[in-house]
Amino acid sequence: MSVFKRTVKNEFWYVLFLMPGFCLFALALLVPLGMGIRYSFTDWDGVSQSLRYIGWGNYKNALTDDDLWMALINTFKYAIILTVVVNVLSLLFALLLDSYLKFRNVFRTVFFLPSVISIVLSGFIWSYNYSTGLPKLFSFFGFDNVTSPLGNPSYALFGVIVIAVWQGIGAPMIIYIAGLQGIPQEIVESAKIDGAGTSKTLWHIVLPLLAPSFTINMVLTLTGALKVFDLVFVTTHGGPAFATEVMSTYIYSSSFASYKGGYGMALSMIFFVVLVVVTLIQLSVFRRREVEV
Amino acid sequence: MNKRVYVSICLAMLMLLLAACGGNNGAPAATEEAGNKGAEESEATQAPVEEKPVTISFMHFKSDVTDGVAKIVEQFENENPNIKVEVQPVKYDDYYTLIKTKLAGGDIIDVFTLNSGGQAKLFSDGGYIMDLTGQPFLSSFDESVLKGQATDGKNFVMPINGGPIAVFYNKKIFKDLGLEIPKTYDALLEAANQIKAAGKTPFALGWKDGWTLGMWATRDLPSLTALEEGQTDFFQKLEVGEAKFADNPAVKVTIERAKKLFELGNKDQLGVDYNGAVDLFSKGEVGMMYMGTWPLLDIEKKNPDFYNNDLGYFPYPFSNDPALNKLEFNPDASLAVASNTPHKEAALKFMAFMASKQGGDAWVNNIKSLSYVKGSTTSIAPAMDELQPYFDQGLTYDSQIYFANTTLDWSTQFSQQLQKYFFGKTTPDKIIAEMDDWIAKNHK
């Protein structure tokens, strides 16, 4: 008993300092989550003050909803392409900007700048670029039939991905640069003494030691990309012809435009589970590949 | 000893945090009390001796004419120095989402714009808006207008402005090519084809914005359905799942027409938005544009010469029977008062101003739309004079009444399906089948 008392006394301080953070977390996340779960079992229309419990009805509908599958496929298509492209590009930039380049600080700033602009703003800038800027530029060089990719269902998703890449490269690049600078120089040097060339050093020394940065970047970009809403919303609204309808815009339009608040909540819950599963799998896969120095 | 100090500091901080959170809730309650007290006092003493100044919030979806609305509100504030109006313009595409979340979250917006019909019904069913039936200011509107905007027989919204939705055309292009104003749908297509053959763009389409395509589809389809096919209750039946798109031959016609429009439109139809389309049209390179009166201000600003001399306006001929092709005239914004407003009196004063002759004229002059207030002026632009005969002879109709009091939003889904068809990714039969699937999942 006295042991318990002593523990409480000793740990009490930590708990006390945790309280504000925990309260915020509970208020901003746990409480809404609980309310959301409740709503997902109702036929609430999103506006009225009355609701009716319908059990698993929303979830049953969701599983047979073709639009949900379409939105999920679009989301994963977007997220996977984006994750691969962003990571490859930012790793390349990091390797380049970590080497002894004149003006490398200037270049680091330049490549990081797009990340500073808000997503909504870059969405507007690029919509304008696509619909007015680029066609004018191309017609100057004699190509008159350039149109905005955002206006064509076959290319719209790629149009959005280009914006996301442009915007999303900065932060992972910084993490990679930090990771590269954390690699002990003596290991690299001894590899060189052993006769390893640049490509061998890169493949056998640098990349394995960069694995922690790799893990965090993959997880961050993938989960960020899966949850994308703002960029799609300002550039295409999920259109044209559903070509860019991702999960979050689909949830938004079913809860607010189609007045199916309850159904939207059920979709959110399903998506939440999907996200958790994806993140867990990803973390366990990448953690296994990390090496300790 | 130090520990005690820390604990008290921590507690003090926590209290501050809680106080800051709670502070917001306290303030409106206080002003509410003050407002009520003020109202009671003025009633008791009859003569309103220096009423306490109140601030009411007014949210509206006429964000494309934000300045114009601000001027109207300014006039009201000059008349009522004790009432300040906080205006919040919101883009139409986001308007209903925003206001729904605000109201559901318990925020108070004293006065806001609504569309009569489905939206008004949704808000009155939710208990968010005040019943205005019998308010004295409603007498400045025609009985028929009030009836048209009533929800289940009661007036929850007050009509403010409305306007024709028709086809702007470039008189110069029409004259150069020797084209007449088309009176039938086939003539419209013929004119468009000739404009295209002459190397100009027949239609300016800003279909990147969802509502521009939706606006056309939600007028062409009901017009055809009700007036050509005679299925006047089709959309009411659709709402409850008693009718299907497959039973309505007009759907296929609208789908094919949309594709025709798309092909006859400007380049990059789904990449250019409403503003872009108005821009194109103002430059004088485009033959026609299907639109309400909203871009008039913009066109005047961008190309005053074109606006004064070459801009024309004709009713959209949805049918091949010229007798059916009347002028589409729709209510635009209506006003509603929140049922939970603490400033009921000020809000009603605001409504009364908007219903007065002065308020009606303010809407006409400042945002170039027509007012429903009896006797307000109608001359808003040179192009509008062409429509005068239709007004004089009462040759107007409102296709929106065919889905008044329905809340099923099939138009977004339909527009997306149409966009698929533009790029050859689906067929009209498939669209109809998918729409019916969607209706089956979503009807009440």
Side-chain angles (χ1 to χ4, degrees):
Chain A
M1 192 60 214
S2 67
V3 180
F4 177 71
K5 240 183 190 167
R6 199 176 321 133
T7 335
V8 168
K9 212 172 174 189
N10 288 339
E11 307 290 314
F12 176 72
W13 285 105
Y14 302 112
V15 176
L16 188 69
F17 282 113
L18 271 177
M19 277 325 276
F22 179 77
C23 284
L24 278 179
F25 180 74
L27 268 177
L29 273 162
L30 297 182
V31 174
L33 186 69
M35 285 162 73
I37 292 175
R38 204 190 105 200
Y39 281 127
S40 75
F41 292 103
T42 67
D43 66 347
W44 187 47
D45 65 1
V47 183
S48 70
Q49 280 147 347
S50 64
L51 37 87
R52 202 159 47 91
Y53 286 90
I54 52 168
W56 291 94
N58 282 330
Y59 291 91
K60 274 183 203 146
N61 284 345
L63 291 180
T64 57
D65 186 351
D66 293 338
D67 295 340
L68 168 72
W69 295 112
M70 176 204 64
L72 266 180
I73 290 170
N74 279 340
T75 313
F76 275 95
K77 210 160 124 191
Y78 171 87
I80 291 171
I81 297 178
L82 184 67
T83 312
V84 171
V85 175
V86 160
N87 277 287
V88 168
L89 281 183
S90 55
L91 182 61
L92 286 179
F93 277 122
L95 286 170
L96 191 69
L97 297 177
D98 189 48
S99 57
Y100 292 96
L101 199 69
K102 226 182 175 185
F103 302 123
R104 66 175 177 182
N105 280 335
V106 177
F107 282 116
R108 278 182 197 171
T109 317
V110 168
F111 288 120
F112 187 71
L113 264 184
S115 312
V116 179
I117 302 175
S118 85
I119 295 181
V120 175
L121 196 58
S122 59
F124 278 121
I125 294 173
W126 275 87
S127 307
Y128 180 79
N129 273 354
Y130 279 144
S131 66
T132 318
L134 290 180
K136 273 194 182 145
L137 184 71
F138 277 104
S139 76
F140 183 75
F141 292 111
F143 302 96
D144 266 333
N145 276 322
V146 179
T147 55
S148 165
L150 300 181
N152 187 324
S154 311
Y155 307 120
L157 196 63
F158 299 104
V160 177
I161 289 175
V162 167
I163 309 175
V165 168
W166 177 78
Q167 159 112 65
I169 254 177
M173 183 184 80
I174 296 295
I175 296 179
Y176 279 130
I177 289 179
L180 283 172
Q181 286 172 348
I183 295 174
Q185 279 307 303
E186 51 267 36
I187 303 184
V188 180
E189 262 167 42
S190 56
K192 276 203 179 122
I193 292 166
D194 287 347
T198 318
S199 58
K200 276 217 159 127
T201 324
L202 184 70
W203 193 249
H204 292 291
I205 310 285
V206 176
L207 287 187
L209 287 175
L210 213 53
S213 324
F214 209 62
T215 310
I216 192 73
N217 273 338
M218 286 301 244
V219 174
L220 283 183
T221 39
L222 188 69
T223 46
L226 285 173
K227 289 188 291 186
V228 64
F229 173 80
D230 33 16
L231 183 60
V232 173
F233 193 75
V234 295
T235 49
T236 63
H237 256 267
F242 304 115
T244 57
E245 189 84 291
V246 291
M247 264 319 275
S248 40
T249 54
Y250 182 55
I251 291 170
Y252 174 88
S253 62
S254 27
S255 345
F256 294 110
S258 312
Y259 307 119
K260 292 190 294 180
Y263 186 62
M265 284 300 167
L267 290 178
S268 312
M269 294 305 145
I270 293 174
F271 190 44
F272 173 68
V273 173
V274 171
L275 278 180
V276 169
V277 170
V278 168
T279 316
L280 286 181
I281 293 175
Q282 212 192 6
L283 273 177
S284 70
V285 167
F286 283 106
R287 279 274 180 242
R288 231 178 290 150
R289 304 202 25 196
E290 283 177 18
V291 284
E292 298 289 324
V293 182
Chain B
M1 174 227 130
N2 263 340
K3 268 189 187 171
R4 199 159 285 171
V5 177
Y6 283 136
V7 170
S8 41
I9 288 177
C10 280
L11 278 178
M13 301 270 263
L14 260 177
M15 298 257 252
L16 260 179
L17 194 79
L18 290 176
C21 288
N24 263 340
N25 297 333
T31 46
E32 186 178 352
E33 226 166 72
N36 282 345
K37 221 188 238 168
E40 275 162 29
E41 267 171 28
S42 72
E43 255 170 52
T45 53
Q46 285 295 333
V49 269
E50 277 306 300
E51 281 177 55
K52 275 204 182 131
V54 287
T55 304
I56 59 172
S57 50
F58 169 47
M59 195 147 127
H60 69 85
F61 54 61
K62 305 297 300 172
S63 62
D64 47 335
V65 285
T66 304
D67 297 345
V69 177
K71 274 183 208 147
I72 301 170
V73 170
E74 215 171 273
Q75 285 190 24
F76 168 76
E77 284 179 331
N78 289 340
E79 298 266 305
N80 299 276
N82 276 326
I83 304 173
K84 246 187 83 61
V85 184
E86 203 183 83
V87 188
Q88 303 170 31
V90 180
K91 202 176 157 205
Y92 188 77
D93 274 342
D94 309 322
Y95 182 77
Y96 281 106
T97 311
L98 189 70
I99 196 147
K100 266 183 254 166
T101 26
K102 281 210 171 215
L103 291 179
D107 276 9
I108 292 165
I109 300 152
D110 301 297
V111 184
F112 49 91
T113 55
L114 275 183
N115 290 102
S116 58
Q119 295 289 0
K121 182 168 167 56
L122 198 75
F123 281 83
S124 64
D125 284 353
Y128 291 112
I129 51 180
M130 194 188 282
D131 185 2
L132 301 172
T133 319
Q135 291 285 350
F137 53 76
L138 286 185
S139 61
S140 25
F141 302 96
D142 262 333
E143 203 55 45
S144 62
V145 174
L146 289 178
K147 214 182 222 170
Q149 300 214 2
T151 312
D152 305 328
K154 283 182 187 163
N155 283 103
F156 283 93
V157 292
M158 180 186 94
I160 335 174
N161 72 330
I165 296 193
V167 185
F168 284 110
Y169 72 103
N170 187 323
K171 282 187 185 163
K172 189 162 174 299
I173 293 181
F174 270 59
K175 206 163 71 195
D176 289 353
L177 296 173
L179 296 172
E180 298 268 308
I181 290 180
K183 297 276 185 217
T184 62
Y185 181 75
D186 287 346
L188 180 76
L189 266 198
E190 180 51 34
N193 281 326
Q194 287 197 27
I195 295 172
K196 188 162 193 179
K200 299 237 161 70
T201 309
F203 291 105
L205 312 169
W207 287 355
K208 182 179 194 302
D209 285 328
W211 63 266
T212 40
L213 172 58
M215 179 179 74
W216 173 81
T218 52
R219 282 173 178 76
D220 191 64
L221 184 56
S223 303
L224 283 170
T225 307
L227 301 173
E228 196 119 292
E229 303 294 336
Q231 299 193 21
T232 43
D233 54 355
F234 176 73
F235 295 99
Q236 267 89 6
K237 282 187 177 165
L238 203 63
E239 170 106 340
V240 287
E242 283 170 12
K244 290 201 302 198
F245 273 68
D247 307 332
N248 182 355
V251 178
K252 219 168 191 169
V253 181
T254 301
I255 295 173
E256 292 298 354
R257 283 181 177 185
K259 176 103 184 221
K260 270 267 144 41
L261 274 179
F262 178 79
E263 284 161 0
L264 291 168
N266 50 282
K267 198 181 73 172
D268 204 8
Q269 302 88 330
L270 300 181
V272 173
D273 60 5
Y274 159 77
N275 287 321
V278 173
D279 231 27
L280 279 178
F281 187 71
S282 312
K283 281 183 188 139
E285 292 296 303
V286 182
M288 294 174 266
M289 179 171 69
Y290 179 82
M291 202 51 78
T293 55
W294 321 289
L296 280 172
L297 269 178
D298 247 11
I299 298 175
E300 188 180 19
K301 226 184 278 171
K302 281 176 178 150
N303 195 344
D305 196 38
F306 170 66
Y307 174 83
N308 288 319
N309 303 318
D310 292 329
L311 183 64
Y313 210 21
F314 65 82
Y316 170 70
F318 72 90
S319 169
N320 274 328
D321 176 3
L324 288 179
N325 290 328
K326 296 182 191 169
L327 175 66
E328 170 95 55
F329 192 88
N330 297 150
D332 183 10
S334 300
L335 276 182
V337 178
S339 52
N340 64 346
T341 171
H343 314 299
K344 190 176 161 193
E345 206 166 306
L348 288 178
K349 258 190 194 160
F350 186 72
M351 301 290 272
F353 174 79
M354 293 304 171
S356 67
K357 171 96 174 60
Q358 189 192 1
D361 283 347
W363 280 88
V364 175
N365 295 330
N366 287 309
I367 70 164
K368 301 248 177 205
S369 78
L370 296 176
S371 167
Y372 278 113
V373 176
K374 277 188 246 172
S376 54
T377 144
T378 56
S379 150
I380 54 173
M384 284 294 287
D385 298 341
E386 261 181 273
L387 297 179
Q388 202 54 47
Y390 289 91
F391 291 124
D392 293 344
Q393 295 162 38
L395 288 174
T396 59
Y397 79 113
D398 180 3
S399 64
Q400 304 303 292
I401 55 166
Y402 299 113
F403 45 83
N405 293 340
T406 65
T407 53
L408 186 69
D409 176 30
W410 48 269
S411 78
T412 316
Q413 201 71 11
F414 190 58
S415 302
Q416 296 280 345
Q417 293 284 1
L418 286 178
Q419 294 178 2
K420 259 194 208 170
Y421 182 48
F422 298 156
F423 289 89
K425 288 178 188 289
T426 184
T427 63
D429 292 317
K430 242 165 120 187
I431 295 182
I432 293 172
E434 290 202 19
M435 282 309 293
D436 280 331
D437 271 359
W438 186 84
I439 298 286
K441 275 188 292 184
N442 287 282
H443 68 72
K444 297 278 137 79

